[in-house]
Amino acid sequence: NAGVMQNPRHLVRRRGQEARLRCSPMKGHSHVYWYRQLPEEGLKFMVYLQKENIIDESGMPKERFSAEFPKEGPSILRIQQVVRGDSAAYFCASRGQATTDTQYFGPGTRLTVL
Amino acid sequence: GEDVEQSLFLSVREGDSSVINCTYTDSSSTYLYWYKQEPGAGLQLLTYIFSNMDMKQDQRLTVLLNKKDKHLSLRIADTQTGDSAIYFCARHAMEYGNKLVFGAGTILRVKS
């Protein structure tokens, strides 16, 4: 049973480009969370999605950031017109159906904006 | 401000016990977690405790929860150099879609 998969593991973008980060949850999981870890900080919640629905996006910056979790395929976190301050590690976690189920984390995507 | 706080750094000698502390402000959390992060890696779930428990032991790990003081600790017995990592305390925020709220992490350095 594969764990949570994220790709790419490392992504380098120049300022103004777009970044697309992908997350495939564990098999059987339909709840996905995205977190951001800025250098030398803890993880901060960004967005919570179920299949085809955004449930809570209270942690997402209002502009340039969007997320989706389509019926088929991975969840995508999209950052348009990246700036240097977007450089961070972005982690995806998934859980099963029960609200108290443990969240399992992927290895993260480390985004560097030049 | 942050509602989950941890001390930033802990240094111990190999073979000693390590105790990493965490305090939180929101008492509604049902679960509290400890995650481990090695350099450049993702988060590994170490252990968790349900809020109606005082203690949980799992091999070298002991979690203590003082709900009255909103204090959580992780004790690692016989600390090894492989335990060197960042340890994150997190609470389960059921009222907010079950997201996790993390502390800033404690860097554990084990000296041989």
Side-chain angles (χ1 to χ4, degrees):
Chain A
N1 184 15
V4 179
M5 312 279 283
Q6 289 188 251
N7 68 80
R9 294 291 305 276
H10 299 274
L11 182 61
V12 179
R13 287 286 178 265
R14 295 190 182 279
R15 280 179 296 169
Q17 292 184 317
E18 179 179 287
R20 277 180 178 251
L21 288 63
R22 293 175 188 76
C23 169
S24 296
M26 284 180 72
K27 189 176 179 182
H29 286 186
S30 59
H31 298 257
V32 165
Y33 299 79
W34 285 93
Y35 295 86
R36 177 166 65 174
Q37 183 180 31
L38 293 170
E40 299 183 13
E41 292 189 15
L43 278 75
K44 296 285 197 294
F45 167 78
M46 297 182 77
V47 62
Y48 163 40
L49 308 104
Q50 293 181 38
K51 284 280 188 183
E52 301 183 277
N53 288 302
I54 297 174
I55 308 301
D56 179 1
E57 56 181 349
S58 58
M60 287 274 270
K62 294 288 184 277
E63 296 176 350
R64 303 187 297 109
F65 285 71
S66 62
E68 62 176 9
F69 189 14
K71 189 176 179 182
E72 301 291 336
S75 175
I76 307 285
L77 179 67
R78 183 179 175 214
I79 312 171
Q80 296 177 287
Q81 299 175 320
V82 296
V83 300
R84 289 223 174 102
D86 297 333
S87 294
Y90 291 82
F91 291 96
C92 163
S94 74
R95 67 164 174 88
Q97 281 301 111
T99 55
T100 53
D101 277 357
T102 300
Q103 292 182 26
Y104 292 93
F105 281 80
T109 294
R110 279 157 180 81
L111 172 65
T112 301
V113 179
L114 301 177
Chain B
E2 297 298 327
D3 70 3
V4 179
E5 293 194 352
Q6 301 178 236
S7 51
L8 290 181
F9 187 77
L10 176 65
S11 179
V12 300
R13 291 195 179 281
E14 193 175 18
D16 288 350
S17 290
S18 308
V19 179
I20 302 171
N21 294 301
C22 172
T23 57
Y24 57 97
T25 55
D26 192 317
S27 58
S28 66
S29 298
T30 51
Y31 286 92
L32 296 133
Y33 299 86
W34 286 103
Y35 284 88
K36 176 183 179 183
Q37 184 182 36
E38 297 186 57
L43 271 72
Q44 174 194 351
L45 177 65
L46 284 179
T47 187
Y48 62 91
I49 188 166
F50 190 54
S51 59
N52 68 354
M53 297 169 66
D54 298 323
M55 185 181 88
K56 181 179 179 182
Q57 188 152 4
D58 184 0
Q59 300 182 333
R60 291 191 299 123
L61 305 178
T62 302
V63 179
L64 294 177
L65 175 60
N66 181 329
K67 206 172 176 186
K68 175 175 169 290
D69 294 339
K70 299 177 189 171
H71 182 266
L72 181 74
S73 67
L74 174 69
R75 179 177 180 267
I76 306 173
D78 187 25
T79 313
Q80 303 298 307
T81 54
D83 294 324
S84 292
I86 304 174
Y87 290 80
F88 291 98
C89 166
R91 70 173 185 87
H92 185 219
M94 284 189 72
E95 70 280 13
Y96 294 115
N98 308 302
K99 69 181 181 184
L100 294 176
V101 179
F102 286 85
T106 299
I107 299 171
L108 174 63
R109 180 186 164 209
V110 183
K111 296 178 284 188
S112 57

